[in-house]
Amino acid sequence: MNARRKRLKIGVLFGGRSAEHEVSVVSAQGVMGAIDTGRFQPVPIGVTRQGTWLTPAQTEQALDRIRSERLKSLDEPLGDGILYRVQALASLRRVDAVFPLIHGTNGEDGTLQGLLELVGVPYVGAGVAASALGMDKALQKTFFRHHNFPVADDVQLLASQWRNDRQGVAAGAEAIIGYPAFVKPANSGSSIGTSKARSREDLEEAIAEAFRYDRKVLVERAIDGREVEVAVLGNDEPEASPVGEITYHAEFYDYHAKYEDNTTQLHVPADIPETASERARELAIAAYKAIDCAGLARVDFFYARDGSLVLNEVNTIPGFTPMSMYPKLWEHAGLSYRDLISRLIELALERHSEKGRGL
Ligand SMILES: Nc1ncnc2c1ncn2[C@@H]1O[C@H](COP(=O)(O)OP(=O)(O)O)[C@@H](O)[C@H]1O
Ligand SMILES: [Mg+2]
Protein backbone atom coordinates (compact mmCIF):
# COMPACT_ATOMS: atom_id res chain seq x y z
CA MET A 1 0.00 0.00 0.00
CA ASN A 2 1.09 3.50 -0.71
CA ALA A 3 2.49 4.90 2.52
CA ARG A 4 1.68 8.42 1.41
CA ARG A 5 -1.74 9.63 2.37
CA LYS A 6 -4.00 10.24 -0.59
CA ARG A 7 -4.06 13.93 -1.38
CA LEU A 8 -7.50 15.51 -1.18
CA LYS A 9 -8.67 17.33 -4.29
CA ILE A 10 -9.79 20.83 -3.36
CA GLY A 11 -11.94 22.72 -5.86
CA VAL A 12 -10.97 26.38 -5.66
CA LEU A 13 -14.02 28.21 -6.91
CA PHE A 14 -13.40 31.83 -7.88
CA GLY A 15 -14.17 34.76 -10.16
CA GLY A 16 -17.87 35.39 -10.54
CA ARG A 17 -20.08 38.22 -11.67
CA SER A 18 -19.60 40.70 -8.85
CA ALA A 19 -17.42 43.78 -8.86
CA GLU A 20 -15.04 41.76 -6.68
CA HIS A 21 -14.16 39.38 -9.53
CA GLU A 22 -10.59 40.68 -9.67
CA VAL A 23 -10.03 40.35 -5.93
CA SER A 24 -11.38 36.85 -6.12
CA VAL A 25 -8.86 35.98 -8.86
CA VAL A 26 -6.03 37.25 -6.64
CA SER A 27 -7.40 35.34 -3.62
CA ALA A 28 -7.60 32.10 -5.64
CA GLN A 29 -4.04 32.50 -6.91
CA GLY A 30 -2.96 33.13 -3.32
CA VAL A 31 -4.70 29.99 -2.05
CA MET A 32 -3.40 27.79 -4.88
CA GLY A 33 0.11 29.13 -4.39
CA ALA A 34 0.15 28.55 -0.63
CA ILE A 35 -1.97 25.42 -0.14
CA ASP A 36 -0.11 22.52 1.49
CA THR A 37 0.46 20.37 -1.60
CA GLY A 38 1.63 17.47 0.53
CA ARG A 39 -1.97 17.10 1.70
CA PHE A 40 -4.08 18.82 -0.93
CA GLN A 41 -4.26 19.07 -4.68
CA PRO A 42 -5.93 22.31 -5.79
CA VAL A 43 -8.37 22.10 -8.71
CA PRO A 44 -9.25 25.56 -10.03
CA ILE A 45 -12.84 26.17 -11.10
CA GLY A 46 -13.36 29.68 -12.49
CA VAL A 47 -16.56 31.58 -13.14
CA THR A 48 -16.28 34.38 -15.70
CA ARG A 49 -17.67 37.87 -15.34
CA GLN A 50 -20.59 36.78 -17.51
CA GLY A 51 -21.28 33.91 -15.12
CA THR A 52 -19.98 31.07 -17.28
CA TRP A 53 -18.52 28.20 -15.25
CA LEU A 54 -15.22 26.98 -16.66
CA THR A 55 -13.91 23.44 -16.43
CA PRO A 56 -10.65 22.99 -14.49
CA ALA A 57 -8.73 22.71 -17.79
CA GLN A 58 -10.28 25.90 -19.16
CA THR A 59 -9.63 27.63 -15.87
CA GLU A 60 -5.93 26.65 -16.02
CA GLN A 61 -5.75 28.15 -19.52
CA ALA A 62 -7.48 31.34 -18.43
CA LEU A 63 -5.10 31.60 -15.45
CA ASP A 64 -2.12 31.18 -17.78
CA ARG A 65 -3.40 34.10 -19.82
CA ILE A 66 -3.89 36.14 -16.67
CA ARG A 67 -0.26 35.49 -15.72
CA SER A 68 1.31 35.95 -19.14
CA GLU A 69 -0.77 38.89 -20.33
CA ARG A 70 -1.35 40.50 -16.96
CA LEU A 71 -5.10 40.28 -17.33
CA LYS A 72 -7.17 40.81 -14.24
CA SER A 73 -10.19 38.71 -15.00
CA LEU A 74 -11.00 35.30 -16.47
CA ASP A 75 -11.56 35.22 -20.24
CA GLU A 76 -14.99 34.29 -21.50
CA PRO A 77 -14.54 31.07 -23.54
CA LEU A 78 -15.81 30.93 -27.09
CA GLY A 79 -18.69 28.61 -27.79
CA ASP A 80 -21.52 27.17 -25.83
CA GLY A 81 -21.55 28.47 -22.27
CA ILE A 82 -24.31 26.10 -21.22
CA LEU A 83 -22.29 23.06 -22.28
CA TYR A 84 -19.27 24.26 -20.34
CA ARG A 85 -21.46 24.87 -17.35
CA VAL A 86 -22.62 21.24 -17.27
CA GLN A 87 -19.05 19.96 -17.57
CA ALA A 88 -17.83 22.42 -14.98
CA LEU A 89 -20.60 21.54 -12.56
CA ALA A 90 -19.73 17.89 -13.00
CA SER A 91 -16.22 18.71 -11.79
CA LEU A 92 -17.75 19.60 -8.40
CA ARG A 93 -18.48 15.92 -7.90
CA ARG A 94 -14.89 14.95 -8.56
CA VAL A 95 -13.38 16.99 -5.76
CA ASP A 96 -13.22 16.11 -2.07
CA ALA A 97 -14.05 19.62 -0.90
CA VAL A 98 -14.66 23.07 -2.35
CA PHE A 99 -13.11 26.33 -1.24
CA PRO A 100 -15.53 29.02 -2.45
CA LEU A 101 -13.84 32.37 -3.03
CA ILE A 102 -16.57 34.09 -5.01
CA HIS A 103 -17.80 37.30 -3.42
CA GLY A 104 -21.25 38.82 -3.52
CA THR A 105 -24.37 37.60 -5.27
CA ASN A 106 -24.30 33.91 -6.26
CA GLY A 107 -21.07 33.45 -4.32
CA GLU A 108 -21.56 34.40 -0.71
CA ASP A 109 -25.32 34.81 -0.48
CA GLY A 110 -26.24 31.16 0.10
CA THR A 111 -27.16 30.28 -3.50
CA LEU A 112 -23.79 28.71 -4.25
CA GLN A 113 -23.81 27.07 -0.83
CA GLY A 114 -27.23 25.58 -1.67
CA LEU A 115 -25.81 24.15 -4.89
CA LEU A 116 -22.89 22.62 -2.99
CA GLU A 117 -25.34 21.12 -0.48
CA LEU A 118 -27.29 19.54 -3.34
CA VAL A 119 -24.10 18.16 -4.84
CA GLY A 120 -23.21 16.84 -1.38
CA VAL A 121 -19.63 18.08 -1.40
CA PRO A 122 -17.99 19.57 1.73
CA TYR A 123 -17.22 23.28 1.38
CA VAL A 124 -15.34 25.92 3.30
CA GLY A 125 -17.29 28.57 5.15
CA ALA A 126 -20.82 29.44 6.14
CA GLY A 127 -23.83 27.37 5.15
CA VAL A 128 -26.94 28.56 3.33
CA ALA A 129 -28.69 30.48 6.11
CA ALA A 130 -25.63 32.25 7.53
CA SER A 131 -24.50 33.17 4.02
CA ALA A 132 -27.91 34.63 3.19
CA LEU A 133 -27.96 36.65 6.41
CA GLY A 134 -24.37 37.74 5.89
CA MET A 135 -25.16 39.04 2.43
CA ASP A 136 -28.46 40.83 2.99
CA LYS A 137 -27.66 43.91 5.05
CA ALA A 138 -31.35 44.58 5.72
CA LEU A 139 -32.07 41.12 7.15
CA GLN A 140 -28.74 41.15 8.97
CA LYS A 141 -29.34 44.52 10.64
CA THR A 142 -32.84 43.55 11.71
CA PHE A 143 -31.60 40.22 13.05
CA PHE A 144 -28.75 41.74 15.03
CA ARG A 145 -30.92 44.52 16.40
CA HIS A 146 -33.45 41.98 17.66
CA HIS A 147 -30.62 40.11 19.35
CA ASN A 148 -29.51 43.30 21.11
CA PHE A 149 -26.25 43.81 19.23
CA PRO A 150 -25.18 47.44 18.96
CA VAL A 151 -25.99 48.48 15.37
CA ALA A 152 -26.55 51.84 13.68
CA ASP A 153 -30.17 53.00 13.39
CA ASP A 154 -31.58 52.41 9.95
CA VAL A 155 -34.62 52.72 7.76
CA GLN A 156 -35.20 50.06 5.11
CA LEU A 157 -36.79 51.04 1.81
CA LEU A 158 -38.30 49.03 -1.05
CA ALA A 159 -38.04 50.03 -4.70
CA SER A 160 -41.81 49.75 -5.08
CA GLN A 161 -42.37 52.34 -2.32
CA TRP A 162 -39.74 54.61 -3.84
CA ARG A 163 -41.32 54.45 -7.29
CA ASN A 164 -44.71 55.41 -5.86
CA ASP A 165 -43.67 58.26 -3.62
CA ARG A 166 -40.08 59.47 -3.79
CA GLN A 167 -40.73 62.61 -1.77
CA GLY A 168 -42.59 60.81 0.97
CA VAL A 169 -39.97 58.06 1.25
CA ALA A 170 -37.07 60.54 1.41
CA ALA A 171 -38.90 62.73 3.94
CA GLY A 172 -39.64 59.68 6.10
CA ALA A 173 -36.03 58.51 6.10
CA GLU A 174 -34.78 62.04 6.78
CA ALA A 175 -37.11 62.44 9.77
CA ILE A 176 -35.88 59.21 11.40
CA ILE A 177 -32.18 59.17 10.49
CA GLY A 178 -31.22 62.82 9.90
CA TYR A 179 -27.80 63.79 8.50
CA PRO A 180 -25.22 62.70 7.71
CA ALA A 181 -26.69 59.39 6.58
CA PHE A 182 -25.24 56.39 4.77
CA VAL A 183 -27.32 54.98 1.96
CA LYS A 184 -26.57 51.49 0.61
CA PRO A 185 -28.11 48.65 -1.34
CA ALA A 186 -29.06 45.72 0.93
CA ASN A 187 -27.22 43.25 -1.29
CA SER A 188 -23.94 44.66 -2.39
CA GLY A 189 -20.33 44.83 -1.36
CA SER A 190 -17.11 46.74 -1.99
CA SER A 191 -19.08 49.91 -1.17
CA ILE A 192 -20.73 49.81 -4.58
CA GLY A 193 -23.87 51.92 -4.67
CA THR A 194 -23.07 53.33 -1.19
CA SER A 195 -22.99 57.07 -0.51
CA LYS A 196 -22.96 59.54 2.31
CA ALA A 197 -25.80 62.07 2.28
CA ARG A 198 -25.71 65.47 3.99
CA SER A 199 -28.87 67.06 2.66
CA ARG A 200 -32.25 66.18 1.27
CA GLU A 201 -30.91 66.61 -2.24
CA ASP A 202 -27.99 64.26 -1.52
CA LEU A 203 -30.33 61.79 0.10
CA GLU A 204 -32.65 61.55 -2.90
CA GLU A 205 -29.71 61.12 -5.24
CA ALA A 206 -28.13 58.52 -2.97
CA ILE A 207 -31.34 56.51 -2.68
CA ALA A 208 -31.83 56.54 -6.47
CA GLU A 209 -28.22 55.41 -6.91
CA ALA A 210 -28.55 52.57 -4.38
CA PHE A 211 -31.74 51.33 -6.07
CA ARG A 212 -29.73 50.77 -9.25
CA TYR A 213 -28.22 47.75 -7.49
CA ASP A 214 -31.03 46.24 -5.45
CA ARG A 215 -34.72 46.38 -4.68
CA LYS A 216 -33.97 47.02 -1.00
CA VAL A 217 -32.01 50.00 0.31
CA LEU A 218 -30.85 50.99 3.79
CA VAL A 219 -30.57 54.55 5.06
CA GLU A 220 -28.34 54.43 8.14
CA ARG A 221 -27.24 56.87 10.79
CA ALA A 222 -23.60 57.73 10.13
CA ILE A 223 -21.27 56.58 12.89
CA ASP A 224 -18.35 58.83 13.61
CA GLY A 225 -15.58 56.37 14.32
CA ARG A 226 -12.67 54.20 13.25
CA GLU A 227 -13.11 50.98 11.29
CA VAL A 228 -11.93 47.87 13.08
CA GLU A 229 -12.25 44.24 12.04
CA VAL A 230 -11.98 40.82 13.67
CA ALA A 231 -11.32 37.49 11.94
CA VAL A 232 -13.32 34.59 13.33
CA LEU A 233 -12.37 30.97 12.65
CA GLY A 234 -14.10 27.75 13.61
CA ASN A 235 -17.38 25.87 13.59
CA ASP A 236 -19.33 25.52 16.83
CA GLU A 237 -16.50 26.82 19.01
CA PRO A 238 -15.06 29.68 16.98
CA GLU A 239 -12.05 31.72 17.94
CA ALA A 240 -11.45 35.43 17.39
CA SER A 241 -8.20 36.90 16.08
CA PRO A 242 -6.63 40.10 17.35
CA VAL A 243 -8.38 43.26 16.13
CA GLY A 244 -7.20 45.08 13.00
CA GLU A 245 -7.87 48.63 11.87
CA ILE A 246 -8.21 50.12 8.41
CA THR A 247 -7.18 53.69 7.69
CA TYR A 248 -7.73 55.48 4.39
CA HIS A 249 -7.71 58.89 2.80
CA ALA A 250 -11.29 59.26 1.73
CA GLU A 251 -14.52 60.33 3.26
CA PHE A 252 -15.45 56.72 3.84
CA TYR A 253 -14.07 53.31 2.89
CA ASP A 254 -15.29 53.45 -0.69
CA TYR A 255 -14.37 51.32 -3.71
CA HIS A 256 -11.36 53.44 -4.58
CA ALA A 257 -10.02 53.35 -1.00
CA LYS A 258 -10.57 49.57 -0.89
CA TYR A 259 -8.88 48.54 -4.11
CA GLU A 260 -7.14 51.40 -5.88
CA ASP A 261 -5.64 53.76 -3.34
CA ASN A 262 -2.28 52.58 -2.06
CA THR A 263 -2.41 54.97 0.89
CA THR A 264 -5.05 52.72 2.47
CA GLN A 265 -3.44 50.78 5.31
CA LEU A 266 -4.25 47.75 7.41
CA HIS A 267 -2.95 47.95 10.96
CA VAL A 268 -2.52 44.76 12.96
CA PRO A 269 -3.14 44.96 15.82
CA ALA A 270 -5.39 48.02 16.00
CA ASP A 271 -4.10 50.68 18.36
CA ILE A 272 -7.17 50.75 20.59
CA PRO A 273 -7.54 50.15 24.34
CA GLU A 274 -7.39 46.54 25.51
CA THR A 275 -10.95 46.73 26.85
CA ALA A 276 -12.25 47.80 23.43
CA SER A 277 -10.41 45.04 21.59
CA GLU A 278 -11.62 42.43 24.09
CA ARG A 279 -15.17 43.66 23.62
CA ALA A 280 -14.81 43.59 19.80
CA ARG A 281 -13.57 40.01 19.92
CA GLU A 282 -16.44 38.95 22.21
CA LEU A 283 -19.00 40.68 20.02
CA ALA A 284 -17.46 39.15 16.89
CA ILE A 285 -17.80 35.63 18.28
CA ALA A 286 -21.33 36.31 19.53
CA ALA A 287 -22.39 37.70 16.11
CA TYR A 288 -20.78 34.73 14.35
CA LYS A 289 -22.61 32.25 16.55
CA ALA A 290 -25.89 34.18 16.38
CA ILE A 291 -26.14 33.79 12.60
CA ASP A 292 -24.75 30.23 12.80
CA CYS A 293 -21.61 30.83 10.75
CA ALA A 294 -19.10 28.10 10.01
CA GLY A 295 -15.48 28.06 8.91
CA LEU A 296 -14.68 31.74 8.72
CA ALA A 297 -16.08 35.25 8.74
CA ARG A 298 -14.68 38.72 9.14
CA VAL A 299 -16.73 40.81 11.52
CA ASP A 300 -16.51 44.58 10.98
CA PHE A 301 -17.14 47.29 13.56
CA PHE A 302 -17.02 51.02 14.04
CA TYR A 303 -15.04 52.04 17.11
CA ALA A 304 -16.95 55.22 17.83
CA ARG A 305 -15.47 58.39 19.31
CA ASP A 306 -17.27 57.81 22.59
CA GLY A 307 -15.45 54.47 22.95
CA SER A 308 -18.45 52.31 22.05
CA LEU A 309 -18.40 49.61 19.39
CA VAL A 310 -21.04 49.44 16.68
CA LEU A 311 -21.38 46.21 14.69
CA ASN A 312 -21.32 47.06 10.98
CA GLU A 313 -21.40 43.77 9.13
CA VAL A 314 -20.36 40.13 8.95
CA ASN A 315 -18.58 39.05 5.75
CA THR A 316 -18.78 35.32 5.19
CA ILE A 317 -16.34 35.32 2.26
CA PRO A 318 -13.87 38.06 3.18
CA GLY A 319 -11.04 39.12 0.87
CA PHE A 320 -8.58 36.23 1.07
CA THR A 321 -5.45 37.38 -0.74
CA PRO A 322 -2.27 36.92 1.34
CA MET A 323 -2.38 40.70 1.93
CA SER A 324 -6.04 40.80 2.97
CA MET A 325 -7.11 41.60 6.51
CA TYR A 326 -8.49 38.14 7.32
CA PRO A 327 -5.27 36.16 6.71
CA LYS A 328 -3.14 38.98 8.11
CA LEU A 329 -5.02 38.92 11.40
CA TRP A 330 -4.42 35.20 11.78
CA GLU A 331 -0.82 35.51 10.73
CA HIS A 332 -0.37 37.98 13.56
CA ALA A 333 -1.88 35.39 15.91
CA GLY A 334 0.71 32.84 14.72
CA LEU A 335 -1.31 30.96 12.10
CA SER A 336 0.34 31.14 8.68
CA TYR A 337 -1.64 31.58 5.45
CA ARG A 338 -0.84 27.97 4.52
CA ASP A 339 -1.95 26.56 7.88
CA LEU A 340 -5.06 28.76 7.81
CA ILE A 341 -6.06 27.22 4.47
CA SER A 342 -5.50 23.70 5.84
CA ARG A 343 -7.52 24.51 8.95
CA LEU A 344 -10.43 25.85 6.87
CA ILE A 345 -10.50 22.67 4.80
CA GLU A 346 -10.46 20.54 7.96
CA LEU A 347 -13.36 22.58 9.34
CA ALA A 348 -15.28 22.05 6.07
CA LEU A 349 -14.78 18.28 6.35
CA GLU A 350 -15.78 18.29 10.02
CA ARG A 351 -18.96 20.23 9.31
CA HIS A 352 -19.85 17.98 6.40
CA SER A 353 -19.45 14.83 8.47
CA GLU A 354 -22.05 16.23 10.89
CA LYS A 355 -24.82 16.35 8.32
CA GLY A 356 -26.62 14.21 5.74
CA ARG A 357 -25.14 13.41 2.37
CA GLY A 358 -27.26 15.51 0.00
CA LEU A 359 -28.87 14.08 -3.14
N1 LIG B 1 -23.53 53.81 9.26
C1 LIG B 1 -22.31 54.11 8.81
N2 LIG B 1 -21.55 55.02 9.44
C2 LIG B 1 -20.31 55.35 8.99
N3 LIG B 1 -19.74 54.82 7.89
C3 LIG B 1 -20.46 53.91 7.21
C4 LIG B 1 -21.76 53.49 7.63
N4 LIG B 1 -22.20 52.57 6.77
C5 LIG B 1 -21.23 52.40 5.84
N5 LIG B 1 -20.18 53.21 6.10
C6 LIG B 1 -18.96 53.32 5.29
O1 LIG B 1 -19.15 52.67 4.04
C7 LIG B 1 -18.30 51.52 3.93
C8 LIG B 1 -19.02 50.39 3.21
O2 LIG B 1 -20.20 50.06 3.88
P1 LIG B 1 -20.52 48.58 4.34
O3 LIG B 1 -21.84 48.62 5.05
O4 LIG B 1 -19.37 48.05 5.10
O5 LIG B 1 -20.74 47.82 2.98
P2 LIG B 1 -19.78 46.89 2.04
O6 LIG B 1 -20.43 45.55 2.10
O7 LIG B 1 -19.89 47.52 0.71
O8 LIG B 1 -18.41 46.89 2.64
C9 LIG B 1 -17.89 51.21 5.36
O9 LIG B 1 -16.67 50.51 5.43
C10 LIG B 1 -17.79 52.62 5.94
O10 LIG B 1 -16.60 53.29 5.51
MG1 LIG C 1 -17.89 46.61 4.58
Side-chain angles (χ1 to χ4, degrees):
M1 224 177 79
N2 193 343
R4 227 179 100 153
R5 231 183 339 166
K6 186 175 156 284
R7 293 196 307 161
L8 294 182
K9 289 198 179 71
I10 308 299
V12 179
L13 197 46
F14 68 102
R17 304 173 72 170
S18 81
E20 291 136 305
H21 180 104
E22 291 177 7
V23 186
S24 173
V25 170
V26 180
S27 296
Q29 286 173 307
V31 168
M32 290 187 290
I35 197 166
D36 180 351
T37 49
R39 297 177 63 192
F40 308 113
Q41 179 192 346
V43 178
I45 304 170
V47 179
T48 67
R49 276 192 183 286
Q50 282 81 4
T52 306
W53 284 57
L54 305 178
T55 61
Q58 287 171 328
T59 309
E60 298 276 13
Q61 285 167 12
L63 282 170
D64 281 345
R65 291 216 342 120
I66 285 176
R67 281 186 287 264
S68 62
E69 297 175 37
R70 295 173 175 267
L71 302 180
K72 293 198 164 152
S73 54
L74 293 164
D75 265 347
E76 185 66 22
L78 298 170
D80 189 348
I82 294 289
L83 183 63
Y84 293 140
R85 188 176 300 226
V86 171
Q87 290 171 356
L89 288 173
S91 62
L92 291 177
R93 292 210 69 117
R94 290 196 290 271
V95 294
D96 298 298
V98 171
F99 198 138
L101 286 166
I102 298 181
H103 303 287
T105 306
N106 293 158
E108 83 183 279
D109 61 355
T111 55
L112 175 64
Q113 289 68 21
L115 172 69
L116 298 171
E117 292 284 346
L118 288 172
V119 171
V121 63
Y123 56 92
V124 169
V128 172
S131 300
L133 274 170
M135 184 72 200
D136 185 320
K137 294 186 196 323
L139 288 179
Q140 190 182 141
K141 287 290 291 291
T142 304
F143 181 90
F144 282 138
R145 182 173 297 119
H146 282 286
H147 284 267
N148 294 319
F149 284 89
V151 292
D153 291 339
D154 72 352
V155 168
Q156 301 181 1
L157 312 175
L158 298 177
S160 50
Q161 301 167 329
W162 176 244
R163 275 195 303 272
N164 288 339
D165 180 14
R166 291 170 71 115
Q167 298 295 321
V169 165
E174 179 182 75
I176 296 170
I177 302 300
Y179 299 111
F182 270 87
V183 182
K184 46 184 136 172
N187 291 279
S188 182
S190 292
S191 306
I192 292 180
T194 299
S195 12
K196 188 172 183 177
R198 290 202 167 65
S199 64
R200 177 66 168 272
E201 198 187 343
D202 280 2
L203 180 67
E204 288 186 24
E205 244 176 65
I207 295 174
E209 170 67 8
F211 274 127
R212 289 180 49 213
Y213 299 92
D214 197 4
R215 48 169 278 277
K216 291 196 290 189
V217 159
L218 280 75
V219 179
E220 263 182 35
R221 179 151 303 147
I223 306 295
D224 184 10
R226 292 156 62 182
E227 298 198 35
V228 296
E229 307 189 336
V230 180
V232 181
L233 175 67
N235 288 340
D236 289 353
E237 285 165 22
E239 288 178 68
S241 72
V243 182
E245 178 176 10
I246 289 164
T247 56
Y248 45 82
H249 293 101
E251 200 170 9
F252 67 96
Y253 196 28
D254 60 12
Y255 187 87
H256 176 69
K258 281 182 178 171
Y259 302 118
E260 298 165 347
D261 187 345
N262 55 22
T263 67
T264 295
Q265 285 185 315
L266 311 187
H267 308 266
V268 181
D271 185 13
I272 62 174
E274 186 57 31
T275 47
S277 64
E278 269 315 303
R279 170 101 177 113
R281 298 173 70 218
E282 277 166 24
L283 279 171
I285 289 182
Y288 188 94
K289 285 183 166 172
I291 65 168
D292 196 23
C293 269
L296 78 166
R298 201 191 68 225
V299 185
D300 299 348
F301 298 91
F302 299 111
Y303 175 52
R305 274 183 198 276
D306 64 5
S308 64
L309 282 158
V310 177
L311 176 59
N312 179 31
E313 58 165 346
V314 175
N315 290 285
T316 53
I317 303 193
F320 205 82
T321 76
M323 303 311 294
S324 300
M325 185 62 108
Y326 188 93
K328 282 183 88 158
L329 287 170
W330 282 115
E331 197 145 30
H332 185 79
L335 185 63
S336 70
Y337 189 49
R338 163 176 310 226
D339 291 345
L340 173 61
I341 294 165
S342 301
R343 182 73 195 120
L344 286 168
I345 296 168
E346 287 162 6
L347 288 166
L349 298 173
E350 281 171 26
R351 174 46 55 95
H352 185 75
S353 69
E354 287 179 341
K355 57 191 178 197
R357 300 295 305 174
L359 289 179

